[in-house]
Amino acid sequence: MTLLENAAFAKAIESAENQPDTAYAALEGLTKETIGVKLFTVMLCDTVTGVASRVYSNMPDEYPVSGTKPYNPTHWSEITLNQRKSFVANTIEEIADVFDDHEQIKRLGCESVINIPIIVMDQVVATINCLHDAGFYTEERVKAADALKLPGALCVLLQEKFERMQANG
């Protein structure tokens, strides 16, 4: 399904209700349709300061939207932030190499991950983070994930607009 064919996502972007969560929820739905996902989060990235902040989670009790966390300089950051490619790990062991919360990830029934970088004006501004069963993110799904970059960028830009509007009263 192309972005133009996805009426639900377009309506979510147009809506003024409960933004930016409405748009992120629609992005989650689009992600489920496009590549499949159990645990879905979106992290804003500040590559200058080296910190990220979670702005959306479909499991807020396990992965709440709050605070910031520093990047861990691993091959994840090299692939995702420097090379600007999707990071894929299809086993819990590969996940454990880069994510300290691998035990929690496994408890949630997830053993594979794809982190999709969102690039706006030549900067990685966010990542779409998708987790699922072991071996789930096949080459075909990884290729299909590229279709999520534009909707992801729209959500991040909507988030920035929302924050500006909040700041200006």
Side-chain angles (χ1 to χ4, degrees):
M1 180 176 297
T2 68
L3 177 61
L4 295 176
E5 294 170 332
N6 193 312
F9 183 79
K11 284 194 180 294
I13 291 293
E14 293 170 3
S15 174
E17 304 238 354
N18 195 30
Q19 289 295 7
D21 287 340
T22 297
Y24 286 127
L27 178 61
E28 177 189 353
L30 186 60
T31 301
K32 283 180 181 176
E33 292 173 19
T34 305
I35 62 170
V37 67
K38 282 185 177 182
L39 170 58
F40 177 86
T41 67
V42 177
M43 301 284 290
L44 296 184
C45 303
D46 185 336
T47 55
V48 174
T49 62
V51 297
S53 58
R54 188 176 299 112
V55 292
Y56 183 82
S57 173
N58 72 342
M59 295 185 187
D61 291 338
E62 293 84 1
Y63 285 93
V65 174
S66 63
T68 62
K69 69 177 189 176
Y71 289 126
N72 208 0
T74 64
H75 62 280
W76 177 91
S77 55
E78 174 58 31
I79 292 166
T80 307
L81 302 176
N82 296 340
Q83 295 178 22
R84 300 171 181 197
K85 296 179 183 175
S86 292
F87 173 84
V88 180
N90 271 308
T91 67
I92 197 64
E93 293 79 16
E94 291 173 311
I95 290 172
D97 283 344
V98 293
F99 298 122
D100 293 337
D101 59 342
H102 58 91
E103 291 175 0
Q104 180 175 356
I105 290 169
K106 187 171 182 174
R107 272 194 310 275
L108 294 172
C110 298
E111 295 189 39
S112 66
V113 65
I114 182 171
N115 304 112
I116 307 157
I118 303 305
I119 302 163
V120 175
M121 295 181 61
D122 202 34
Q123 293 183 356
V124 176
V125 295
T127 58
I128 299 172
N129 311 302
C130 307
L131 293 97
H132 213 295
D133 299 331
F136 189 79
Y137 291 110
T138 61
E139 186 176 328
E140 182 179 290
R141 287 185 173 114
V142 172
K143 287 180 185 175
D146 281 345
L148 299 170
K149 291 180 178 182
L150 178 58
L154 287 172
C155 288
V156 170
L157 293 171
L158 188 143
Q159 167 105 28
E160 290 176 0
K161 180 172 180 62
F162 175 80
E163 289 174 359
R164 278 193 312 274
M165 288 172 65
Q166 293 292 90
N168 294 331

